[in-house]
Amino acid sequence: LAAKHAAPGGATWTRPLRRFSGRPATVPLPELNTVHVDRQVARQLFIQVHGARNLAAMDHGLSSDPYCQIKLAGLMQKTRVIKQCLNPDWDEVFQFPVSPNVVLKKEKLSVTLFDWDLAESQALHDFLGWAEMCMEDVPLSKMHEKSTHTLPLTLAPGMKTSSWVKKYVTMEGDVPITGEVTISMWIGTMKDTTMNVAKPAERSTDAVEMDNDLTCFVEPHMLVMHIDAIAGRNLLACDPGGTSDPYFKVKLAEGTGYAVSARTKYVRATLNPKWNEEFNFLVGKPLNDKLAISVWDKDLAYDKLIGRVNLDLVSLPLVKGHQIDKTLPAEWHTLKDNKGKTETKKGEPYGQVKMRAYLDNEYFSHPEDSMFSKECGRLEVDVLNARDLKCSGEYYCVVKFDRLLARTPVHKQRGASSMHRGLEWNQRLSFPVYDTSSCVVIGLFNAAKSHALVGKVRVRLSSLRGNTRYEKAVQLVNLDARDKLHCSGLLDIAVTFKHPCHAGVGWGVLQRYTKSNIPEKHFWRPLPAMHMQRMEVRRRHIVAETLDRSHPRLPKTVVLDMYDAKESEFSLRLMKASVARMKMCVNVMEKAGKLFRYLESWQNSFASMASIGTVCFYMIFPEYIIPSVMGGVLITGIATYPSSYDRQMEYIGMDEALSIGQAPFEQATKNEEGGEILELDSQEATSLNPLITLQRKYDEMITMAQIAQLKMANAAGFVESCVSMLTWGDPRCTSLIMLGCASAILALQIVPLTPFRIKFMMAGGFAYVMRPPFMRNPTPSPPEIWLSRMPTMKDRIFH
């Protein structure tokens, strides 16, 4: 029987039925409110502050230090401060997100100018003027149509005015408010070049939280900054012997106060060092950060600064391709001191440094920008309801897919009756799909407990059939303070991958499966593994900091939980999970060994004689070995197809036993109350030793453990990917393999394999493996690409 559910408005709909073939029956989908997340974040409002004229002089020197503040729809941004100027030219661009359902005509844009004083609080800065305009007067119907407005400055509402002159009482006395400000506005997209310099608007202090609305977010664009520290010449001598021990240091400082730095090894006793080291940093748009290059002299007590070079990120070239040495040669830069001078008081130059600094957007490019220019379908995620929650609070769901995130409205749960009844959202979110190997993450959070994670679920898109609705009540799990995994409630969700081809197999899918889901730059100019790991950690923090300052706000802890920030950290529980995955792979081999021992023991004489006859047949006719293997793969795919829907449903949700390091065939422990409690045997190791040497040894041990954890997880994932290719883990991939095997069997029947052809194929394979380096392509082969796209048990482990 089909289970009936209540839909908004009193209508009912039926859950999809499954036939004997494992494919769900075709039934009408529920009528839910659908929101296209990509359309919500597509448009951006750009506001450019050109400058101001004839401002009031607030300082004793008959001048001011003006800066401009813009507010719109709960968002705010400021320009830089220009010292001692009454006619400032800022020429700064700000970015304000505009959703399609937001009516800008009802909003008002306020522009306020202040005179900066030696105080952190804005309340102590002198007021220079205020202007306001209704967005209804701005023509924003066409994309990229710029409108310029000059606004006269007046007193802000609520300020006392005189009948004959507009004045504002400041510490300098009564000063009249004069002047005007010029701004421009236009509607653009995230792909505009203006995004390189446009500062994103941040949440203002008087903004009202929009907890009752569905909000959508998008990651900031990421670029990789490469710095090649090559050499130095004629450096300043800092040691008594007329030499120095120089080393190269680079520091990237962000506006959020988060700074990263790196340095080379120092070269002993020389004024012309050669470092030849490479640094890689991840930066996000807009490119308003500063890059500080400095050269230091290494000493025992404290290091001495030789000179520095300051660069703006926006001035660095954007390089494409992998032949960087030919397209962008290294340059010499003159070192300066903190005052901008190139020589000391004695006339000694600080020297020069040879380096190469550039930006690259081909390492972390989004699929819609580079790999696939056209989307291959739409992903619909239905967030229905949450029930059986353990405590009362204010709950909301966050859905993440690729670079897009969406947050449902906040629902309050009070009392035991509401806990049993649950919370209903009945919201459908639609995302564009550019790569079928992407993963959607759905998390439930409690806003009443500092936005604590209640539970989450991952669904690998490659494990879903096209145009098939997967609905499931997912058991949410979470870790408590004692590092024990416990059940925290149920979340009813549904996932549908709408593909243009109903069967999910076609030339377009085959073409996509032969392309790597990683940009080719990773293979032509590979970065060190440690650099990639650091950049991935930094990417999560950049996204978390950006969305935490946005309006509506998505807390930083929520973003880190959605991006599995703890996955890169060493965890004894995750290492035990990798061991459990290896046990599952070995268990399959053990079953094959048991079958061999069963045939060897002659418990079934007919089966043992049949196995001997099969071996003799292949010894006499070896040309049938490969067709038989192809036929076995084909038969395996046909035999496992009826139960493929059940296995795909199992992939939706966390595996509680595997998350704590227990294989599914191992029995979980029970607590005293009869509920299932999955315990962790030992706590994660922590160091409280204050000695630096022991702390360093401990850090090295943790690093080695992280590497071992990653290697074990990769080994288990490789075997699981091979199994998924044959057991409909990815329906499109398994279908293509079956078609390929059937075609190979027919081809081998037409052109049978002879001993000469087998030898020729072996010789050709050996020559292909041993080909010269200039004939090799660093990009992975199609089988390797297919393995990387397969779903594994990693998606079912709680991080």
Side-chain angles (χ1 to χ4, degrees), residues 721-764:
S721 299
C722 295
V723 176
S724 298
M725 293 178 65
L726 304 179
T727 57
W728 298 90
D730 186 340
R732 288 160 290 278
C733 178
T734 306
S735 302
L736 293 174
I737 291 176
M738 292 179 61
L739 291 176
C741 291
S743 303
I745 293 174
L746 295 177
L748 292 175
Q749 294 299 322
I750 299 175
V751 183
L753 290 177
T754 61
F756 173 77
R757 291 173 180 171
I758 295 175
K759 295 178 182 179
F760 180 79
M761 292 173 59
M762 295 177 62

Side-chain angles (χ1 to χ4, degrees), residues 564-606:
D564 297 331
K566 297 182 180 179
E567 181 183 3
S568 58
E569 301 176 359
F570 169 71
S571 173
L572 184 59
R573 178 178 58 86
L574 296 180
M575 181 170 286
K576 292 177 63 178
S578 299
V579 174
R581 294 169 62 187
M582 295 295 294
K583 288 182 180 179
M584 295 170 58
C585 301
V586 174
N587 189 38
V588 177
M589 301 179 184
E590 290 180 354
K591 291 182 179 179
K594 290 181 180 179
L595 177 61
F596 177 76
R597 289 192 296 270
Y598 172 76
L599 297 175
E600 185 184 15
S601 61
W602 284 78
Q603 297 181 14
N604 189 332
S605 302
F606 178 77

Side-chain angles (χ1 to χ4, degrees), residues 45-52 109 111 131-140 145-152 180-186:
L45 173 64
F46 296 101
I47 301 178
Q48 183 178 7
V49 181
H50 297 283
L109 175 69
V111 182
E132 186 181 63
M133 64 177 302
C134 183
M135 297 300 294
E136 187 177 4
D137 302 332
V138 182
L140 298 175
E145 182 179 357
K146 183 181 294 187
S147 61
T148 305
H149 306 270
T150 300
L151 307 176
E180 59 186 14
V181 61
T182 304
I183 62 174
S184 297
M185 289 177 283
W186 69 93

Side-chain angles (χ1 to χ4, degrees), residues 379 401-402 435-441 457-465 470 495 497 513 517 564 567 648 651-653 724 729-732 788-796 799:
L379 174 65
F401 183 73
D402 277 345
D435 187 10
T436 56
S437 63
S438 302
C439 183
V440 58
V441 184
V457 57
R458 302 185 201 90
V459 182
R460 185 69 59 177
L461 192 59
S462 58
S463 63
L464 306 179
R465 302 181 189 178
Y470 294 84
V495 183
F497 174 37
Y513 269 65
N517 52 359
D564 297 331
E567 181 183 3
Q648 293 160 5
Y651 273 107
I652 302 177
S724 298
D730 186 340
R732 288 160 290 278
S788 65
R789 293 176 177 273
M790 294 299 103
T792 62
M793 298 301 293
K794 176 184 176 182
D795 301 327
R796 304 191 63 192
H799 296 295

Side-chain angles (χ1 to χ4, degrees), residues 528-559:
M530 295 300 296
H531 289 198
M532 291 297 300
Q533 184 178 1
R534 285 198 298 265
M535 285 192 294
E536 184 62 29
V537 174
R538 178 171 168 80
R539 169 178 170 267
R540 296 167 181 166
H541 284 277
I542 291 177
V543 176
E545 291 287 350
T546 303
L547 299 185
D548 187 63
R549 300 192 305 269
S550 63
H551 180 72
R553 170 177 173 259
L554 193 61
K556 181 178 179 180
T557 56
V558 174
V559 178

Side-chain angles (χ1 to χ4, degrees), residues 65-80:
D65 304 326
Y67 69 92
C68 180
Q69 176 182 275
I70 293 181
K71 286 187 178 182
L72 176 65
L75 295 173
M76 176 267 292
Q77 192 52 269
K78 302 176 184 178
T79 65
R80 69 185 186 277

